[in-house]
Amino acid sequence: MTDDWKRRLERARDNLIREGDPVAWVSERDAVERAVRYPSLAVRGALFGVAACREGVWRMVSPLRDGTPQGSRDSLHSMLWFRAKDDTEDRGERRELLAAVSVLERERIDEIEVLGERFRIVRGDELARCGDDGLEPPRPTDVEPLERSWEMGSPRTPSPDRGFVLDPAREAGPMAEAMRLGLRGFSYSGRRYPADVRAGSERAVRTHPEIVVMPTTFGVAEKTGETWNPQGSFMATPHDARAHLYVALTELWPLIYELEDEQRKRYARAAEEFRALGRANELTAEGRLFRIFRIERMVRFGPDGPEGPRTSDVDDSEPMKMHPTMDEDGTIHYGE
């Protein structure tokens, strides 16, 4: 362990003692207990989002959730198009925004500067803690929404990524610092990863040695044999993940899978029992076991900022025109 990391861990410990925040102490205790109970980290794979840099500060402007770099390029494409449409009356600004949109319609680029701001497609990794009983469920100290709705179409908690500052020097509690220290040397290993994936991962340890730990998110996983398989996207809070599972059982899956009436009723009964418990993290329906689980995410950081896509990352879609043509006056020309 380097002296720098020793000092960071010591500062984290000293800050915890000095501030005497009871919530921080309880959160730290939970983190220690969970690290013992769920000592391993399972890697699901790469995630991508969009970050912007202004005056040397990198912030996320699109959540780290896309499965491919092109998915995030498309997010940036739309973001700039709508900014040209809705957020400026200046013809010069709109012209520059639309020029960037034009590039993103044709090219796979991972960085572009627009109106003095650098936008970059950012790469991260999705991880989950594991123990003898499977994936780590939410902790008692994880934040829940003040108003908890279960209904389909009701507002969900916004992604904690938007506006999140990517700062590897940000100090956290001792367990968070210890996790960040442990992840510095993390790379893909094992024969299940192709050679180019392993090589790219090992290279990133050298080129982007610092770690930014992203806000925790939550998802739904189903146990199949000895394996837990994530179902759908992840959510900002444990309750949002629970509500996602509830809606899937009562509204979505019966339609998607064209379930028979009796099976629909059994799923609905299981969902209502789950809802009545309020903060349950497991549900069994039709012999299927589901669990709400915690998702950790990390972004590597180097001298020039957050890591972008690697050449070994899967990127199986092409750029395309996504919106109607707009001129510098803001007039939209449909059909062009």
Side-chain angles (χ1 to χ4, degrees):
M1 185 186 298
T2 66
D3 288 341
D4 174 62
W5 276 100
K6 287 180 181 178
R7 287 193 294 270
R8 290 184 65 156
L9 286 172
E10 288 168 356
R11 283 200 305 271
R13 178 202 61 197
D14 293 344
N15 288 341
L16 190 66
I17 294 171
R18 181 174 59 255
E19 293 174 6
D21 182 348
V23 175
W25 276 103
V26 173
S27 297
E28 199 68 21
R29 182 202 64 194
D30 281 352
V32 172
E33 290 178 351
R34 289 299 182 86
V36 173
R37 185 172 176 184
Y38 300 93
S40 302
L41 283 173
V43 183
R44 186 180 181 189
L47 294 170
F48 302 88
V50 182
C53 181
R54 187 179 289 276
E55 298 180 350
V57 178
W58 287 94
R59 295 178 184 273
M60 295 298 297
V61 294
S62 176
L64 189 75
R65 65 185 179 193
D66 296 315
T68 66
Q70 189 58 44
S72 290
R73 294 185 200 111
D74 290 345
S75 295
L76 177 58
H77 177 164
S78 286
M79 185 189 313
L80 297 178
W81 191 89
F82 280 105
R83 185 179 293 186
K85 174 179 176 290
D86 300 327
D87 295 344
T88 184
E89 296 298 328
D90 185 281
R91 295 176 74 209
E93 288 185 357
R94 186 177 289 117
R95 189 184 309 120
E96 187 171 344
L97 288 162
L98 293 174
V101 168
S102 179
V103 172
L104 288 161
E105 288 177 344
R106 305 185 313 271
E107 301 178 28
R108 284 181 168 180
I109 60 168
D110 295 325
E111 185 164 322
I112 193 168
E113 185 166 336
V114 187
L115 300 177
E117 199 166 18
R118 289 169 68 192
F119 292 91
R120 178 178 294 177
I121 307 306
V122 172
R123 183 193 193 281
D125 278 293
E126 182 181 352
L127 314 163
R129 285 195 170 277
C130 299
D132 291 341
D133 68 337
L135 299 173
E136 180 190 8
R139 299 173 186 174
T141 47
D142 286 327
V143 176
E144 298 276 13
L146 293 177
E147 295 184 10
R148 296 185 295 155
S149 173
W150 294 83
E151 307 308 323
M152 186 173 181
S154 59
R156 299 295 179 219
T157 307
S159 169
D161 290 2
R162 294 188 187 278
F164 182 79
V165 176
L166 297 172
D167 180 9
R170 182 199 305 266
E171 294 188 353
M175 287 301 294
E177 288 294 337
M179 180 178 178
R180 180 155 47 186
L181 169 60
L183 290 172
R184 288 192 80 187
F186 162 77
S187 65
Y188 298 152
S189 60
R191 300 180 69 177
R192 70 188 181 99
Y193 295 107
D196 63 332
V197 172
R198 296 196 304 269
S201 183
E202 292 164 2
R203 184 165 52 252
V205 174
R206 300 189 299 273
T207 61
H208 294 78
E210 299 294 339
I211 298 294
V212 175
V213 176
M214 297 292 293
T216 304
T217 53
F218 305 85
V220 177
E222 180 181 2
K223 189 175 185 182
T224 305
E226 297 301 314
T227 304
W228 288 91
N229 298 305
Q231 304 284 322
S233 60
F234 42 79
M235 307 290 170
T237 70
H239 175 75
D240 289 318
R242 296 182 193 109
H244 172 76
L245 177 58
Y246 173 81
V247 168
L249 289 169
T250 57
E251 303 282 348
L252 299 180
W253 292 349
L255 293 175
I256 293 171
Y257 301 116
E258 300 180 350
L259 302 182
E260 299 291 338
D261 285 346
E262 286 304 313
Q263 194 172 18
R264 285 174 182 245
K265 291 177 183 178
R266 290 193 292 270
Y267 272 127
R269 279 197 298 271
E272 294 302 334
E273 291 171 3
F274 177 71
R275 175 175 174 168
L277 292 172
R279 293 195 177 188
N281 291 318
E282 286 195 0
L283 179 155
T284 300
E286 293 287 274
R288 303 170 68 182
L289 175 61
F290 300 93
R291 176 179 291 181
I292 309 302
F293 74 107
R294 245 175 156 259
I295 301 166
E296 309 277 3
R297 295 167 300 151
M298 58 171 270
V299 170
R300 285 199 167 276
F301 209 92
D304 190 43
E307 183 186 13
R310 301 172 187 169
T311 56
S312 59
D313 287 324
V314 174
D315 205 6
D316 54 5
S317 57
E318 297 293 333
M320 60 183 290
K321 186 177 179 67
M322 297 173 59
H323 300 283
T325 299
M326 185 190 314
D327 63 29
E328 62 185 29
D329 295 315
T331 302
I332 298 174
H333 302 271
Y334 295 95
E336 292 187 12

